[in-house]
Amino acid sequence: MHLEQAMKEQLIVFDTTLRDGEQSPGASMTREEKVRIAKQLERMRVDVIEAGFPAASNGDFEAVKAVADAIRESTVCGLARALENDINRAGEALRGAASGRIHTFIATSPIHMERKLRMTPEQVVEQAVRAVQWARRWTDDVEFSPEDAGRSDPDFLCRVLEAVIDAGARTLNIPDTVGYNLPWQFGELIRTLRERIPNSDKAVFSVHCHNDLGLAVANSLSAVLNGARQVECTINGLGERAGNASLEEIVMAVRTRQDVFPCDTRLDTTQIVPASRLVAGITGFAVQPNKAIVGANAFAHESGIHQDGVLKHRETYEIMRAEDVGWSANRMVLGKHSGRNAFKTRLAELGIVLESEEALNAAFARFKDLADKKHEIFDEDIHALISDEATFAQADRYKLLSLKVCSETGETPHAIVVLSDNGEERRAEADGGGPVDAAFRAIESIVQSASDLLLYSVNNITTGTDAQGEVTVRVNKGGRIVNGQGADTDIVIASARAYLNALNKLMSGEVRAHPQVTP
Ligand code: MN
């Protein structure tokens, strides 16, 4: 490492996939899913993981607690309004964290103070200070956000921020809540705040940008050039509306342009693509092929001139290496001759902990089945297998016993399905527009969920025609939305598994971390 690099300041990566990302309609996650994503973020060396909003619901409280208990290497953060009760819930959820942070916020724009909070500016300053002091009773690591900072009076913003630094806030997060800022303006705002607030050197400045104008990453980078040392972002840019700033784009822009940035992150970038896949699979939000860094085509050179150039000298057309962001970290790890011990070791390396010996045995049996159908078992396959295993480990009411589908040119597709309904075998047949439709109709005729299918997507987990298909379905019943996943080398079977996974969640009334209703 060059001396210059060694002396670079650290840019703190604050991932909010599990909190803000989860707020995108349909992206809500179960506690177990949140823990799995958090483990991957920890493996990637994300500095701070915002795990949820504990006061929002019991489900969210339990999810934040589970993440705090499971994560050792990253700081785990809980969001709280500037209210004692919210802060106490966050503090309690984070009790088991190796390093816990409370993130509290209150709106500072005239419109929010008058219309939403019905408070005077003086009352807002007082409450912000009280909240930070209260949070400090739980932890030294307190972050404060003035909500709607972009539309707040800069003088007032300086006053609030100076007061909360004195009260003990270590991180000041400036959100562009509605995605309205332009890069040079936003950078200017950060510079102004740092220059005008007398005690600004006692806190880390952070930014939280939304992508409504496609500028979330540009605004974040502009802020970094003007002194921000924490960026709040999400995997794949997941988030409400057009999403949050994308973690992978910010991290790789800073890493690739070290000639420009005075700081760098401590991220292991080879974990980016696995993280992207895990989040896409769990939420059902597929990544567009031309998405920077993590899109399937991000490193594909098609034109003859480019291919020729890359073959002669890679740097003619490539500014980053695909393997540096994890595209070929996709190493083959196991095959049909791998034993139980090798399987268990690999699970441990991937940070996957199975609760019991039975769970391990069941997962190993499914691994062997898969290895019979597919020669090379990649890390992604193991993740999918464990997702499925987690699904099966639940005390599900319905289980798929067998599925037969006939699909032939000129004929109506027909499916015969046998399910176990609390141990009792039930059989149904149905026609459909296609094999998946026929299978779903047969399943629905047994379950009778009366739900609507909102989304159906298939992705190949790895490449090749023997790859596993990972299917995500999203169903809605009376405003309750749940996702289901299934993976198999046969995509019709994967589809049936995904559909049953969703219906089991729907019928069990399982509390999701972040309850949502359709708009
Ligand atoms: Mn946000």
Side-chain angles (χ1 to χ4, degrees):
M1 187 184 270
H2 296 295
L3 185 61
E4 196 183 319
Q5 271 175 309
M7 286 166 61
K8 287 221 170 179
E9 287 178 62
Q10 191 194 344
L11 176 60
I12 297 166
V13 177
F14 177 112
D15 180 281
T16 184
T17 305
L18 302 180
R19 203 277 299 168
D20 212 345
E22 203 214 8
Q23 284 177 7
S24 26
S28 80
M29 302 160 197
T30 64
R31 177 175 62 187
E32 184 271 334
E33 289 165 341
K34 280 196 172 192
V35 171
R36 259 188 313 134
I37 292 174
K39 287 264 194 191
Q40 176 60 24
L41 296 174
E42 180 184 42
R43 198 149 45 237
M44 193 158 67
R45 297 213 292 263
V46 159
D47 300 289
V48 187
I49 299 171
E50 188 166 53
F53 189 172
S57 69
N58 282 337
D60 221 356
F61 177 90
E62 291 299 333
V64 174
K65 183 175 178 328
V67 171
D69 292 346
I71 298 301
R72 297 293 95 180
E73 304 294 328
S74 307
T75 295
V76 178
C77 176
L79 184 69
R81 285 168 298 181
L83 301 170
E84 260 174 44
N85 254 340
D86 272 37
I87 292 166
N88 289 344
R89 287 296 273 169
E92 282 160 24
L94 295 170
R95 232 190 261 274
S99 162
R101 172 183 294 191
I102 294 175
H103 176 191
T104 186
F105 70 97
I106 192 165
T108 51
S109 64
I111 183 168
H112 277 232
M113 291 192 289
E114 277 161 37
R115 306 284 162 164
K116 190 176 81 174
L117 301 172
R118 298 176 195 281
M119 288 167 73
T120 64
E122 281 65 37
Q123 289 171 318
V124 167
V125 176
E126 237 172 75
Q127 189 164 331
V129 165
R130 252 203 323 269
V132 169
Q133 287 168 341
W134 193 258
R136 281 295 300 256
R137 295 171 62 159
W138 286 94
T139 171
D140 289 346
D141 192 353
V142 175
E143 171 168 332
F144 174 80
S145 290
E147 191 191 358
D148 206 18
R151 288 190 294 179
S152 304
D153 168 31
D155 290 337
F156 181 60
L157 214 47
C158 287
R159 203 178 128 200
V160 176
L161 295 177
E162 183 182 351
V164 297
I165 295 171
D166 277 340
R170 275 194 187 171
T171 304
L172 302 180
N173 177 52
I174 313 303
D176 181 15
T177 309
V178 292
Y180 181 70
N181 279 269
L182 298 174
W184 53 92
Q185 291 176 331
F186 197 59
E188 196 52 44
L189 172 67
I190 300 301
R191 176 182 296 274
T192 306
L193 292 175
R194 287 181 57 237
E195 284 172 359
R196 287 190 41 199
I197 298 171
N199 51 0
S200 66
D201 60 323
K202 305 225 164 34
V204 172
F205 277 73
S206 166
V207 289
H208 177 107
C209 297
H210 277 272
N211 207 31
D212 298 74
L213 292 172
L215 295 170
V217 170
N219 285 336
S220 304
L221 295 177
S222 174
V224 171
L225 288 174
N226 284 282
R229 286 296 175 266
Q230 175 178 289
V231 281
E232 301 200 357
C233 45
T234 60
I235 302 293
N236 299 339
L238 192 70
E240 283 185 285
R241 310 187 307 278
N244 287 66
S246 135
L247 176 144
E248 58 278 8
E249 292 177 21
I250 291 178
V251 167
M252 290 314 292
V254 171
R255 185 67 54 90
T256 305
R257 297 306 306 271
Q258 281 290 294
D259 55 327
V260 173
F261 289 95
C263 53
D264 197 6
T265 67
R266 46 174 219 112
L267 231 77
D268 174 1
T269 60
T270 63
Q271 293 297 331
I272 286 178
V273 168
S276 166
R277 296 221 165 155
L278 187 62
V279 170
I282 284 177
T283 59
F285 280 54
V287 174
Q288 77 199 53
N290 57 328
K291 165 81 174 61
I293 320 292
V294 294
N297 283 354
F299 291 88
H301 294 272
E302 192 64 37
S303 93
I305 293 173
H306 282 211
Q307 285 183 346
D308 178 59
V310 169
L311 287 175
K312 283 179 177 146
H313 187 72
R314 192 183 53 78
E315 284 167 18
T316 50
Y317 288 98
E318 279 188 9
I319 59 166
M320 295 172 277
R321 298 193 311 168
E323 54 268 41
D324 288 346
V325 297
W327 278 104
S328 44
N330 192 357
R331 64 199 164 99
M332 184 194 68
V333 288
L334 300 169
K336 68 187 286 184
H337 301 296
S338 305
R340 193 169 173 283
N341 220 0
F343 179 66
K344 197 176 165 183
T345 306
R346 193 63 201 143
L347 287 183
E349 283 165 10
L350 290 171
I352 298 168
V353 182
L354 292 177
E355 302 287 323
S356 65
E357 205 64 4
E358 293 92 76
L360 176 66
N361 290 340
F364 184 62
R366 301 206 45 227
F367 161 76
K368 280 297 199 185
D369 284 347
L370 179 62
D372 278 338
K373 292 185 245 172
K374 186 174 185 296
H375 297 310
E376 303 170 321
I377 309 288
F378 298 99
D379 291 350
E380 287 91 333
D381 291 314
I382 295 179
H383 273 297
L385 190 94
I386 297 303
S387 294
D388 260 21
E389 208 46 59
T391 302
F392 282 91
Q394 291 161 13
D396 282 341
R397 176 168 170 189
Y398 299 101
K399 292 192 164 75
L400 182 67
L401 297 179
S402 71
L403 172 65
K404 180 176 177 180
V405 180
C406 301
S407 172
E408 187 182 344
T409 43
E411 299 293 326
T412 303
H414 186 75
I416 304 167
V417 66
V418 182
L419 301 183
S420 148
D421 176 355
N422 275 338
E424 186 191 327
E425 242 180 73
R426 297 179 61 186
R427 183 178 182 281
E429 306 190 19
D431 285 340
V436 172
D437 186 43
F440 282 18
R441 282 169 192 270
I443 291 170
E444 173 64 14
S445 76
I446 296 174
V447 176
Q448 309 218 332
S449 71
S451 60
D452 301 319
L453 185 65
L454 298 182
L455 173 129
Y456 170 81
S457 81
V458 191
N459 282 294
N460 53 331
I461 295 174
T462 55
T463 55
T465 51
D466 70 345
Q468 289 198 87
E470 183 170 54
V471 176
T472 303
V473 299
R474 183 175 303 147
V475 299
N476 172 30
K477 184 182 183 180
R480 189 150 177 256
I481 300 173
V482 299
N483 287 328
Q485 280 96 33
D488 199 281
T489 49
D490 180 323
I491 62 161
V492 180
I493 293 171
S495 303
R497 286 215 176 111
Y499 191 47
L500 268 182
N501 178 216
L503 295 183
N504 274 318
K505 285 184 186 171
L506 200 64
M507 307 307 267
S508 75
E510 177 192 346
V511 185
R512 284 155 325 124
H514 184 77
Q516 290 172 331
V517 289
T518 35

